[in-house]
Amino acid sequence: MAFFLLFFLGCFGQDTLQPDNRFVYTNNVQVEILGVGALYSINYERTIVNNDRFKTMAQVGVSFWGNKSWKGFVIPVSMNELISFNRHHIEIGASISPNYVWRDDNSKEWDYFMMARVGYRYQNPKKKFLFRAGYTPIILPEVGSWGGISFGYCF
């Protein structure tokens, strides 16, 4: 009887197996259309904190653009937090995007804009593809609405 009781009570003490939602691949490259790089950007992102439910991501990118009379580039730098539900994630974050413009009249200018991010991210923790879509409002130097989508490869 004592053996049966110990065996029966032991069944309730077992942990249920939970899926491991940590990313296997903690680096990725992305092409973002619109978003924090103005018209487009190519970005590298690294997972800094990789827990089952919460993940912290650091990202840096570059974007070149211009026309016949001026050229410029943007270097977006972002910190994003993911709230994970297996392969679906809510993404919130902030970025600063310094940009440099030079014109044919030899004038040069550094400027920046700051943006927030609220969006959706699809990234299976064990796979190499990611997709992001988000609202990225400009908060400085003036307020404005913006958004973007990204496709990426994890490694």
Side-chain angles (χ1 to χ4, degrees), residues 125-153:
K126 314 269 185 281
K127 304 286 182 178
K128 295 187 174 191
F129 172 78
L130 75 85
F131 168 78
R132 301 165 63 210
Y135 176 60
T136 56
I138 302 166
I139 52 178
L140 283 175
E142 38 188 76
V143 176
S145 289
W146 199 247
I149 62 170
S150 301
F151 298 92
Y153 174 79

Side-chain angles (χ1 to χ4, degrees), residues 44-122:
Y44 166 76
E45 185 177 60
R46 171 103 178 142
T47 305
I48 297 172
V49 175
N50 192 10
N51 294 327
D52 280 342
R53 180 64 71 185
F54 298 100
K55 295 163 183 61
T56 304
M57 318 296 278
Q59 178 178 300
V60 64
V62 67
S63 173
F64 297 97
W65 35 272
N67 61 29
K68 290 182 179 183
S69 62
W70 62 272
K71 308 280 186 273
F73 63 88
V74 178
I75 304 170
V77 178
S78 304
M79 289 296 291
N80 298 308
E81 187 68 21
L82 302 182
I83 304 167
S84 298
F85 304 94
N86 193 5
R87 60 185 156 236
H88 305 284
H89 313 275
I90 297 169
E91 186 170 22
I92 55 174
S95 67
I96 184 165
S97 296
N99 57 76
Y100 183 70
V101 174
W102 62 95
R103 295 178 180 77
D104 286 347
D105 65 1
N106 290 327
S107 64
K108 299 171 182 145
E109 177 183 358
W110 273 103
D111 203 357
Y112 73 95
F113 49 96
M114 293 181 69
M115 302 174 95
R117 175 181 295 277
V118 177
Y120 167 78
R121 179 183 191 125
Y122 174 86

